Amino acid sequence: MVRSALAPRGGRTRSACDLCRHKKIRCDGVKPACETCRCAGVFCTFTTPEPQPHKSVREQLSDSKARVRQLEEALVAQGYHLPDLQAFYSPAPPLLRNTSEFDAAIEAFQWHIAFCGPGVANTAERQSFYSNIYQHTGSVFNIDDFCHQVTRSFKWRYPNQPKTGSKPKWPTTYLVQQCIEYYSRNGLYSIFPIVDTEALQSLLNAGTLNQSQQTGRASNRACLVAFTAMISRIHRHDPVFAGTDSDGYMQAVLTLLPNLLMEDPDIRTLESILILALYLAPMGQPQSAELLLAVAIRVLLNLGGQRPIELIEGTPRDREHLRNLFWACYGPDKEMSIRKRQQPMLQDEDCDLELPAKYVLQSSDHQFLQKKLSADRLLYPSDLRLAMLKSKIHRFLYSDHARVQSDARRLQYIRELDQELSDLKASFPPRFQPDAYFATETTPDYSFHDLSMRGVGMHLDYYFCLGKIHEASSNTSMPSPTSWSLLPSSMELYYQAARSTLFYMNRVCHFVNPDTFW
């Protein structure tokens, strides 16, 4: 009898003879012959099996793919037509679209239009918008027809437009370091107080960027990458950031979003989600930006950022930074609220609205001109007092509570808010007050070019607030706003604000950085 103790798999020794194995019955293993073989009168033999090499899953998959290819080639050789299965297995489209492409740009335009009042096609909001245009101009205007005509004209002029898309890409440690140094060196915390650079530097030095997704906090890694994406995009024309892929970095951050939302929130979580919201907003995705901002505000409230600084837990540096983040959330929240005419997520009565200690409260040339920035002088993208005024405009003129007020009360609010806006404008240096830059075809270019991006934004904010205040007079039940003695020219001011905004944008659009402007 020949017996083998070979254990080809799993450490098990073969104990059945050839006959028992063939009959698939239990073998007692008695030597020199088992009971089955003795009864059958045959030799009891054990055949040694050929050892089977163990292949990895990757090798097995590779063999299977090779076998599939052989079968497909055989079918094609016999005249069979194989369906294109690539469409079923193609990767999902990127979450961020390249708005330099025409199709993405026209969709972004339509998204912004829908977000800011006129709504989507075939809705009451859109029909009211068309009716208002016809009532005041006598012209018929249709957004969908306009977009169709623009698309047809562009495709006729540029028939071959290549499409590009970014895939998730992780920045190098060197690039992140360059962004941190650039942000600190240029005092960008003054305008965008969105990260604590000392905390980011510590995370970078600790090798956080090179950790796998299974180790460490997702918020630490997401914050480093999101910050790099935002700085390299806003300042992409700087030679330091030549060749960077900002959208690819932000795509990588979005892959971390599920883990980011499941962690216990901290300041890095707030920074990451806020940067995501600010990055997506100007790319024609205001709905996504609004949702992310809502998450950021919820994290802010959990951390207590809406409270007075002395009631916030943590080190003095963390408390001050968290309060600065509060105002970074407050401004976009009020902007989105008044544009969409819905309740803001931050209610003024629940928040401490004391301005930051380092905020440039007294208006000065520094607010309007291109001057060196410093983290010791907080400016934000626009005057925080305008953000607080937008909150009042919504609450007194456009909220559900405001809609049930009497016409007399609503027009009183219009007059009071107009006066508050006038007082705020009067606090600006005389040569920088919006009326001094009355934007017409004859206004000299230097009147615009001397202003910083922030200065341009403050002027447009003024026209916007003026328009929103006096637009509300058309919502009263009176036949004409001119019949109300307190505001005889309210609608004229509204149209003038809209006209000034269009003229102003026409004069400055060629030197405006859209990512910073929005």
Side-chain angles (χ1 to χ4, degrees):
M1 180 182 69
V2 181
R3 187 163 182 170
S4 173
L6 181 66
R9 291 184 182 273
R12 295 184 61 189
T13 302
R14 180 179 170 186
S15 59
C17 67
D18 293 342
L19 182 59
C20 291
R21 184 169 178 269
H22 176 72
K23 290 186 175 183
K24 298 182 180 180
I25 61 175
R26 185 181 182 85
C27 182
D28 58 19
V30 176
K31 300 176 183 180
C34 68
E35 182 179 2
T36 303
C37 291
R38 286 197 309 270
C39 293
V42 298
F43 288 105
C44 188
T45 60
F46 284 79
T47 302
T48 304
E50 292 294 329
Q52 297 294 326
H54 179 69
K55 292 185 178 181
S56 66
V57 175
R58 182 174 296 178
E59 290 172 332
Q60 295 177 39
L61 180 60
S62 178
D63 291 344
S64 299
K65 288 182 177 179
R67 180 60 177 158
V68 170
R69 285 195 296 269
Q70 291 176 359
L71 294 174
E72 288 177 346
E73 291 171 358
L75 289 172
V76 172
Q78 295 178 22
Y80 286 93
H81 174 69
L82 297 178
D84 183 14
L85 300 179
Q86 185 63 32
F88 296 97
Y89 300 101
S90 59
L95 297 174
L96 299 179
R97 298 192 62 186
N98 184 1
T99 50
S100 63
E101 298 174 3
F102 178 80
D103 290 340
I106 201 71
E107 285 185 18
F109 170 75
Q110 291 173 307
W111 287 333
H112 278 300
I113 288 293
F115 186 82
C116 296
V120 297
N122 302 320
T123 61
E125 292 85 356
R126 182 63 63 87
Q127 294 304 319
S128 176
F129 176 70
Y130 292 153
S131 176
N132 195 32
I133 292 177
Y134 182 79
Q135 178 182 354
H136 293 98
T137 67
S139 301
V140 176
F141 177 71
N142 185 286
I143 294 176
D144 297 323
D145 290 345
F146 169 76
C147 292
H148 178 71
Q149 293 173 14
V150 171
T151 301
R152 185 173 58 184
S153 174
F154 183 87
K155 296 289 178 70
W156 180 78
R157 294 177 61 189
Y158 308 100
N160 299 316
Q161 281 289 309
K163 292 187 176 182
T164 60
S166 295
K167 298 180 179 179
K169 182 178 181 181
W170 301 97
T172 63
T173 301
Y174 175 77
L175 178 59
V176 179
Q177 184 67 55
Q178 290 293 102
C179 288
I180 293 175
E181 294 176 359
Y182 186 93
Y183 180 84
S184 301
R185 182 173 62 252
N186 291 281
L188 296 180
Y189 189 89
S190 175
I191 304 295
F192 297 110
I194 52 176
V195 294
D196 180 352
T197 51
E198 288 189 9
L200 289 193
Q201 188 66 64
S202 298
L203 291 175
L204 189 64
N205 295 341
T208 302
L209 193 64
N210 300 321
Q211 294 176 352
S212 65
Q213 295 191 24
Q214 289 72 30
T215 60
R217 288 182 57 84
S219 60
N220 293 339
R221 201 159 183 245
C223 189
L224 286 169
V225 181
F227 170 75
T228 302
M230 185 169 186
I231 297 303
S232 60
R233 180 176 181 85
I234 293 177
H235 300 278
R236 61 186 177 275
H237 300 300
D238 194 288
V240 176
F241 305 119
T244 56
D245 185 4
S246 305
D247 287 352
Y249 308 146
M250 198 55 80
Q251 294 273 22
V253 176
L254 291 171
T255 66
L256 298 174
L257 192 57
N259 292 337
L260 189 66
L261 297 178
M262 297 303 294
E263 293 177 340
D264 291 335
D266 61 7
I267 293 182
R268 302 291 87 77
T269 308
L270 173 57
E271 292 171 338
S272 303
I273 300 175
L274 177 60
I275 294 173
L276 268 172
L278 296 177
Y279 190 96
L280 290 180
M283 296 184 68
Q285 300 188 38
Q287 293 88 346
S288 300
E290 180 188 28
L291 292 175
L292 287 166
L293 180 63
V295 176
I297 288 175
R298 173 52 60 187
V299 174
L300 174 76
L301 296 176
N302 287 340
L303 298 176
Q306 81 284 6
R307 302 172 183 167
I309 191 170
E310 60 272 10
L311 299 181
I312 300 175
E313 298 180 357
T315 65
R317 180 183 180 86
D318 286 343
R319 293 201 300 265
E320 181 181 352
H321 179 53
L322 187 57
R323 282 295 296 171
N324 295 341
L325 285 169
F326 163 79
W327 287 106
C329 293
Y330 183 90
D333 177 43
K334 303 307 179 183
E335 178 75 16
M336 290 184 173
S337 169
I338 195 172
R339 286 189 181 278
K340 205 174 181 183
R341 297 188 182 184
Q342 67 181 16
Q343 290 295 327
M345 290 169 279
L346 287 171
Q347 301 295 326
D348 288 1
E349 57 270 22
D350 299 327
C351 301
D352 174 36
L353 298 181
E354 182 178 355
L355 296 174
K358 296 180 180 179
Y359 184 66
V360 183
L361 183 59
Q362 299 300 323
S363 298
S364 64
D365 292 3
H366 196 93
Q367 286 189 301
F368 294 90
L369 296 179
Q370 295 280 3
K371 291 190 176 183
K372 186 176 181 179
L373 300 174
S374 170
D376 294 330
R377 293 172 60 89
L378 292 176
L379 293 171
Y380 289 92
S382 185
D383 198 308
L384 295 180
R385 294 170 293 179
L386 284 168
M388 288 190 280
L389 181 60
K390 290 175 186 177
S391 180
K392 293 181 181 179
I393 293 172
H394 176 272
R395 184 165 73 252
F396 293 124
L397 300 180
Y398 294 100
S399 66
D400 292 338
H401 173 73
R403 292 190 183 98
V404 300
Q405 299 298 312
S406 66
D407 289 345
R409 177 63 62 127
R410 287 169 56 80
L411 293 174
Q412 179 184 355
Y413 287 149
I414 290 174
R415 183 183 64 174
E416 291 174 352
L417 290 168
D418 178 80
Q419 185 61 50
E420 186 171 344
L421 179 62
S422 298
D423 293 342
L424 180 57
K425 181 190 70 173
S427 71
F428 298 154
R431 66 193 187 101
F432 296 120
Q433 293 179 8
D435 285 351
Y437 287 96
F438 192 71
T440 65
E441 299 91 333
T442 59
T443 306
D445 285 343
Y446 66 79
S447 299
F448 304 100
H449 294 172
D450 287 347
L451 291 178
S452 64
M453 189 68 65
R454 187 178 187 278
V456 169
M458 288 177 63
H459 280 80
L460 289 170
D461 254 355
Y462 169 81
Y463 291 133
F464 176 74
C465 288
L466 183 67
K468 296 303 291 185
I469 289 172
H470 292 284
E471 178 188 3
S473 66
S474 65
N475 297 331
T476 65
S477 59
M478 295 183 179
S480 171
T482 56
S483 64
W484 187 257
S485 59
L486 294 178
L487 295 169
S489 58
S490 189
M491 289 306 294
E492 292 181 12
L493 287 171
Y494 165 61
Y495 294 134
Q496 188 59 59
R499 185 171 181 269
S500 297
T501 300
L502 291 174
F503 274 125
Y504 201 103
M505 282 302 303
N506 185 54
R507 297 299 300 274
V508 303
C509 64
H510 58 285
F511 70 90
V512 166
N513 180 345
D515 303 298
T516 304
F517 162 72
W518 195 96

